[in-house]
């Protein structure tokens, strides 16, 4: 090959992967964006503070470039991060998803994977691991912490699912959303508005929560929810 041709190949611009960041904290978005935009192989194409804005930004981005991967915070106002993952997987199956969260991975990581995410990373280690996680996922792999990978592999080896130690592990995704909002002090009508559900549906979730968690009344449910939210923060 002539030297000129080799020089052309070596200096050709490298295609960058487009990253969407969905987090309701602007400072967090800014920090992750700065980290990503320093790299030669990826760039932040758009940002969003909630699920609705994320879907709008994807539509805008796709008019000029395709979003390759979405970084989604688990705790979003309105529609939860987990519900957004399901929506993205259904409407935009070509977009890979990495969940970044403060919530305990032993409870949420498998839920995120079942919802359609390809990876889960704790915010405490995001600075050190987010670029590694993004590259793993874009190359077709799944990214989890060593601890979580070992846990899942052990279940496969044992050919069984261990009984979760926390009663919250038995709850559905919707019930966890309701429990989280109860713990944040929201009333039933406010929860219904936040989740875009009817008051009757939220009341049904509250009844299921009391039954599954072995709680006698609304007071015990609120106390449990507050303590659980505090332990997650």
């Amino acid at each position: 090959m002539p030297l000129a041709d080799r020089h052309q190949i070596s200096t050709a611009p490298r295609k960058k992967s487009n990253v969407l960041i969905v987090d309701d904290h602007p400072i967090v978005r800014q920090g992750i964006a700065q980290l990503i935009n320093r790299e030669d192989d990826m760039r932040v194409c758009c940002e969003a503070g909630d699920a609705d804005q994320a879907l709008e930004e994807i539509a805008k981005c796709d008019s000029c470039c395709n979003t390759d991967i979405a970084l989604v915070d688990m705790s979003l106002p309105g529609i939860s991060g987990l519900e957004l993952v399901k929506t993205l997987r259904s409407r935009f199956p070509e977009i890979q998803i990495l969940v970044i969260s403060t919530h305990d991975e032993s409870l949420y990581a498998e839920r995120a994977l079942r919802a359609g995410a390809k990876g889960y990373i704790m915010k405490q280690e995001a600075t050190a691991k987010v670029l590694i996680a993004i590259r793993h996922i874009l190359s077709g792999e799944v990214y989890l912490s060593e601890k979580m990978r070992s846990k899942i592999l052990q279940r496969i080896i044992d050919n069984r699912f261990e009984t979760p130690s926390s009663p919250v592990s038995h709850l559905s995704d919707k019930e966890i959303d309701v429990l989280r909002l109860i713990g944040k002090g929201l009333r039933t009508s406010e929860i219904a508005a936040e989740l875009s559900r009817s008051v009757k549906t939220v009341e049904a979730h509250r009844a299921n929560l009391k039954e599954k968690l072995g709680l006698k009344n609304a007071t015990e449910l609120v106390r449990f929810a507050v303590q659980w939210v505090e332990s997650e923060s």
Side-chain angles (χ1 to χ4, degrees), residues 55 72 74 79-93 97 99 110-117 172-175 177 197:
L55 297 174
V72 177
M74 185 67 76
I79 300 172
S80 70
L82 202 58
E83 287 302 309
L84 176 58
V85 170
K86 294 176 183 177
T87 300
L88 291 176
R89 178 53 54 216
S90 173
R91 292 176 56 179
F92 307 99
I97 305 167
V99 170
E110 289 186 64
R111 291 176 184 268
L113 294 181
R114 286 198 297 268
S172 69
D173 296 340
K174 290 294 185 186
E175 288 165 350
D177 285 341
R197 297 289 186 273

Side-chain angles (χ1 to χ4, degrees), residues 20-35:
L20 162 67
I21 303 175
V22 189
D23 194 295
D24 60 332
H25 294 93
I27 294 177
V28 173
R29 294 200 307 270
Q30 182 180 7
I32 296 175
Q34 288 178 347
L35 193 66

Side-chain angles (χ1 to χ4, degrees), residues 23-72:
D23 194 295
D24 60 332
H25 294 93
I27 294 177
V28 173
R29 294 200 307 270
Q30 182 180 7
I32 296 175
Q34 288 178 347
L35 193 66
I36 290 171
N37 286 332
R38 288 202 296 261
E39 299 301 302
D40 294 331
D41 59 340
M42 61 183 78
R43 72 182 185 95
V44 174
C45 62
C46 43
E47 301 178 22
D50 58 38
D52 290 336
Q53 187 181 4
L55 297 174
E56 292 175 4
E57 290 299 322
I58 288 174
K60 292 178 185 176
C61 279
D62 284 358
S63 66
C64 59
C65 61
N66 293 321
T67 304
D68 296 299
I69 184 168
L71 276 53
V72 177

Side-chain angles (χ1 to χ4, degrees), residues 118-130:
K118 291 297 181 67
Y120 191 100
I121 187 172
M122 299 289 288
K123 277 189 177 179
Q124 299 92 306
E125 58 180 7
T127 302
K129 301 289 182 64
V130 68

